[in-house]
């Protein structure tokens, strides 16, 4: 019996490509998959990963309790990039390698889609025409605007490349910014205050951590430019939704583009969903055929690397 790779997340069958699974089988792994179509309970998940060598993980929790007793576990590869569902300190302590995939093209493209849709209020045109209404109103142009990218990692950097054609003034706030990488892309590194106060569009690309919880709140929104737009394709916990709702209804902000929410999956009673100056999507920014295929291959290569004494392709340490 070969070493095991577990796929506990219910969407693995539609997301992880067969080629990646075959690479793992060819490397001698036995694959243990959640084919129930349902989210596993914590005890079912623990049972599945207990004697696995590696796990390909979704958004299910990997806290200390879940990992305790998983003595063969050497690698957890997130089929995504957000690791807020991982206890990274416990994983490091237990000698588990942690990796992610690369979905920055998909998310950067989708961020640009939401940004343009919000500035054009595009969904309202689409809805009106479908209803047989000739509803026309002026929009905003992105060209020449100041865009602040908060969190200048992989997605932030790719977004700045995509935005360069719009002749925007680009600011980036990131405490760990690679200034050279920023300047090469025509981006000016700046402090948080400047990123808030000078931007026509603020776009969030930082991780969800205790430090970044509600980084956009009543106070920080007040310091944003009147009439600015907020785009969030990172994590819902970064934004105080009540404060955003007030800003959108009181005219402080002109609009917002949101892919992520404080509560997911969403329910229809979220007050933000009743507004006509926000553009919404269901946490799907990374969901492209290209990312799914490449992500699967990255997972397989990461696990094979760890088997051979190396590191995951996009290793967290
Ligand atoms: P990354 O790790 O490459 O970049 C994150 C950047 O944020 C880093 O450069 C880091 O220094 C910076 N940062 C950390 N704390 C900060 C702070 N307090 N203020 C400003 N910057 C800070 O990650 P990435 O691949 O660019 O992804 C960014 C985020 O996008 C992820 O954390 C994830 O939550 C989210 N994401 C969402 C989707 C989606 O489907 N909507 C898909 C992928 C990623």
């Amino acid at each position: 019996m070969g070493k095991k790779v577990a796929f506990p997340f219910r969407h693995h069958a539609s997301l992880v490509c067969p080629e990646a699974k075959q690479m793992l089988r060819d490397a001698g792994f036995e694959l243990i998959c959640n084919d129930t179509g349902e989210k596993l309970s914590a005890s079912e998940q623990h049972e599945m990963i207990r004697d696995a060598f590696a796990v390909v993980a979704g958004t299910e929790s990997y806290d200390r309790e879940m990992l305790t007793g998983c003595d063969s576990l050497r690698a957890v590869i997130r089929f995504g990039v957000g690791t807020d569902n991982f206890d990274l300190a416990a994983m490091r302590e237990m000698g588990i390698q942690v990796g992610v995939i690369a979905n920055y093209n998909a998310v950067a493209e989708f961020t640009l889609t939401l940004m343009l849709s919000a500035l054009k209020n595009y969904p309202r045109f689409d809805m009106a025409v479908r209803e047989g209404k000739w509803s026309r109103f002026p929009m905003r142009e992105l060209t020449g605007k100041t865009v602040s990218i908060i969190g200048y990692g992989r997605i932030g950097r790719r977004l700045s490349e995509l935005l360069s054609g719009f002749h925007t003034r680009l600011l980036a706030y990131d405490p760990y910014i690679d200034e050279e990488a920023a300047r090469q892309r025509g981006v000016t590194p700046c402090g948080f205050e400047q990123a808030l106060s000078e931007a026509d569009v603020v776009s969030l690309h930082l991780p969800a951590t205790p430090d970044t919880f509600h980084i956009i709140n009543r106070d920080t929104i007040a310091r944003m430019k009147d009439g600015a737009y907020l785009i969030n394709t990172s994590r819902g916990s970064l934004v105080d939704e009540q404060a955003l709702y007030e800003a959108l209804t009181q005219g402080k902000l002109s609009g917002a583009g949101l892919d992520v929410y404080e509560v997911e999956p969403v329910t229809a009673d979220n007050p933000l969903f009743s507004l006509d100056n926000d553009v919404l999507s269901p946490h799907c920014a990374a969901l492209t055929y290209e990312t799914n295929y490449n992500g699967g291959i990255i997972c397989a290569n990461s696990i094979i690397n760890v088997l051979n004494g190396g590191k995951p392709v996009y290793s967290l340490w």
Side-chain angles (χ1 to χ4, degrees):
M1 189 75 56
K3 290 180 189 292
K4 294 177 182 169
V5 176
F7 290 77
F9 72 115
R10 62 179 157 162
H11 299 301
H12 76 88
S14 58
L15 298 184
V16 182
C17 60
E19 291 85 346
K21 290 178 175 166
Q22 193 55 46
M23 282 170 68
L24 290 168
R25 285 192 200 95
D26 291 346
F29 287 109
E30 181 191 351
L31 307 193
I32 314 289
C33 300
N34 170 12
D35 290 325
T36 65
E38 304 292 332
K39 187 177 191 307
L40 297 180
S41 68
S43 60
E44 289 167 336
Q45 183 187 330
H46 183 75
E47 189 53 32
M48 181 176 276
I49 70 170
R50 201 165 44 89
D51 59 352
F53 173 84
V55 168
V56 178
T59 55
E60 63 283 358
S61 170
Y62 292 87
D63 57 15
R64 189 176 288 276
E65 198 183 338
M66 176 60 66
L67 298 166
T68 299
C70 300
D71 300 332
S72 327
L73 193 57
R74 291 289 161 269
V76 178
I77 311 300
R78 168 82 169 90
F79 196 81
V81 298
T83 52
D84 34 313
N85 52 325
F86 289 5
D87 184 337
L88 293 174
M91 289 173 162
R92 205 188 248 274
E93 216 176 274
M94 294 173 182
I96 299 169
Q97 301 280 349
V98 179
V100 294
I101 63 167
N103 53 19
Y104 53 90
N105 276 324
V107 181
E109 280 187 18
F110 198 79
T111 303
L112 183 57
T113 303
L114 274 184
M115 201 178 284
L116 285 167
S117 292
L119 267 74
K120 313 290 177 196
N121 211 335
Y122 172 73
R124 271 80 219 173
F125 288 124
D126 180 271
M127 279 189 284
V129 172
R130 286 171 199 280
E131 289 167 8
K133 294 183 188 148
W134 206 240
S135 170
R136 302 164 82 230
F137 48 82
M139 302 166 257
R140 293 278 171 203
E141 293 180 16
L142 184 54
T143 304
K145 299 290 187 298
T146 297
V147 178
S148 281
I149 299 173
I150 314 275
Y152 198 63
R154 290 196 193 98
I155 296 169
R157 289 196 290 273
R158 182 68 188 126
L159 176 65
S160 65
E161 291 168 0
L162 298 181
L163 284 169
S164 64
F166 287 89
H167 306 292
T168 46
R169 173 176 172 244
L170 291 171
L171 302 175
Y173 167 66
D174 186 324
Y176 313 101
I177 197 162
D178 177 343
E179 295 211 2
E180 184 56 27
R183 293 191 196 286
Q184 274 171 4
R185 293 169 172 83
V187 174
T188 305
C190 71
F192 188 48
E193 282 310 311
Q194 188 182 359
L196 286 179
S197 64
E198 294 188 12
D200 301 293
V201 182
V202 171
S203 195
L204 304 179
H205 302 287
L206 65 167
T209 66
D211 288 344
T212 62
F213 178 78
H214 282 189
I215 194 169
I216 299 297
N217 54 46
R218 251 181 220 101
D219 176 45
T220 50
I221 289 174
R223 281 138 57 197
M224 286 171 68
K225 204 166 161 178
D226 289 345
Y229 291 78
L230 177 74
I231 310 298
N232 186 12
T233 58
S234 280
R235 283 292 181 270
S237 66
L238 300 175
V239 177
D240 176 345
E241 287 184 355
Q242 179 59 34
L244 176 61
Y245 174 81
E246 287 165 18
L248 289 169
T249 48
Q250 292 165 8
K252 167 66 188 175
L253 296 183
S254 290
L258 305 173
D259 185 49
V260 288
Y261 307 90
E262 291 202 75
V263 177
E264 294 182 12
V266 296
T267 50
D269 57 0
N270 186 326
L272 286 168
F273 304 167
S274 63
L275 303 181
D276 63 4
N277 56 347
D278 52 4
V279 177
L280 310 167
S281 56
H283 201 148
C284 61
L287 199 56
T288 63
Y289 290 110
E290 293 82 353
T291 285
N292 288 349
Y293 181 82
N294 295 331
I297 303 296
I298 290 167
C299 286
N301 277 325
S302 295
I303 293 166
I304 293 165
N305 285 356
V306 174
L307 179 69
N308 294 328
K311 298 242 168 227
V313 177
Y314 291 101
S315 178
L316 257 59
W317 46 75

